[in-house]
Amino acid sequence: MTGLDSLWLVLAGFGAGVTGSVAGLASLVSYPVLLALGLPPVTANVTNTVALVFNGIGSVLGSRPELVGERPRIRRLAPIAIAGGLTGGLVLLTTPSSAFAFVVPLLIGLASLAILIQPQRAPRPPAPARRPTWKLSAGVFLVAVYGGYFGAAAGVLLIALLLVTTAEPLPRANAMKNVLLGLANTVAALLFVIVGPVRWSVVIPLAAGCLVGSRLGPTIVRRVPAAPLRAVIGLAGLGLAVHLGVDAYH
């Protein structure tokens, strides 16, 4: 790697951190850059997952105001997210990717539509978190599996799930997404550090950019009106679904 490559990785990490903490689309920015640098797909995916641990750290630090009152719900969902992330990492290391390639565009497309058509709610103060339903728990596990496996637009899936099942406004749903996906990604990354082909020379500059960018993302969500932000997230997710669909079904 050259110094210019490292600079591009820092910039890619910054972009991934911002988009990941805002819309859950970090891998849409970072993964193609790793492929462009010549990393094989599995190595790029594993390396990207390890670097995105710092995306989770920055996102959670920036989301602390929105997480007030959410500790009981997160405490119940955290083990589910961790189990899902570990499962997804194991799936990546032991199975071919062809099965996921066909279903992922549909999942991302449906989640993006759910974000676009979900009714808007007036802002409200934090309310006591209710016990998660079985539908929410199952959905968190499945999204965490996908997050540990690859993760492109996993945040879109999880935001849509949280908006529908918890009745929380977008900033609080986004904050919960940052925590749960951060946990799923971290446990998958730990697995990859032990047995995966991690390219550490790439992880360091990419992670540095992710940490800075992800710290800014929740501030954007907090200050930008919810309606246009939901539109951006939903349309970006639809664009990614179309792109992945063309690759998978061509």
Side-chain angles (χ1 to χ4, degrees):
M1 284 209 342
T2 65
L4 184 59
D5 291 336
S6 297
L7 176 60
W8 279 117
L9 285 168
V10 171
L11 294 176
F14 179 83
V18 172
T19 57
S21 59
V22 170
L25 294 169
S27 292
L28 179 63
V29 176
S30 55
Y31 183 71
V33 172
L34 301 186
L35 294 178
L37 289 176
L39 273 67
V42 172
T43 301
N45 193 8
V46 165
T47 301
N48 186 57
T49 298
V50 174
L52 289 182
V53 169
F54 291 85
N55 179 78
I57 294 172
S59 298
V60 172
L61 289 175
S63 299
R64 285 176 294 179
E66 287 76 26
L67 292 172
V68 174
E70 295 293 346
R71 182 174 295 181
R73 180 184 283 134
I74 291 173
R75 187 185 297 119
R76 297 184 182 105
L77 291 174
I80 298 171
I82 290 171
L86 180 60
T87 302
L90 291 171
V91 170
L92 174 66
L93 295 175
T94 58
T95 63
S97 61
S98 56
F100 269 89
F102 284 94
V103 71
V104 163
L106 179 61
L107 290 175
I108 295 174
L110 291 175
S112 301
L113 288 174
I115 290 174
L116 289 171
I117 66 177
Q118 181 73 9
Q120 299 293 312
R121 297 181 176 88
R124 60 182 183 180
R130 298 177 180 178
R131 181 179 294 273
T133 64
W134 72 266
K135 293 181 181 179
L136 175 57
S137 298
V140 167
F141 177 77
L142 292 175
V143 174
V145 170
Y146 172 60
Y149 176 81
F150 178 50
V156 175
L157 297 172
L158 190 52
I159 289 175
L161 175 68
L162 292 167
L163 287 173
V164 170
T165 58
T166 68
E168 293 285 9
L170 178 60
R172 290 173 67 81
N174 185 67
M176 284 189 286
K177 175 267 294 180
N178 289 336
V179 174
L180 296 174
L181 278 189
L183 290 171
N185 188 78
T186 297
V187 72
L190 290 174
L191 176 65
F192 297 154
V193 167
I194 296 171
V195 298
V198 179
R199 191 72 60 85
W200 289 104
S201 60
V202 173
V203 167
I204 294 172
L206 186 63
C210 282
L211 183 62
V212 177
S214 62
R215 184 64 179 81
L216 297 177
T219 302
I220 296 173
V221 176
R222 194 174 301 129
R223 297 183 178 181
V224 174
L229 186 58
R230 288 170 72 115
V232 170
I233 294 172
L235 292 173
L238 284 176
L240 179 60
V242 170
H243 173 72
L244 294 176
V246 170
D247 289 344
Y249 309 139
H250 180 68

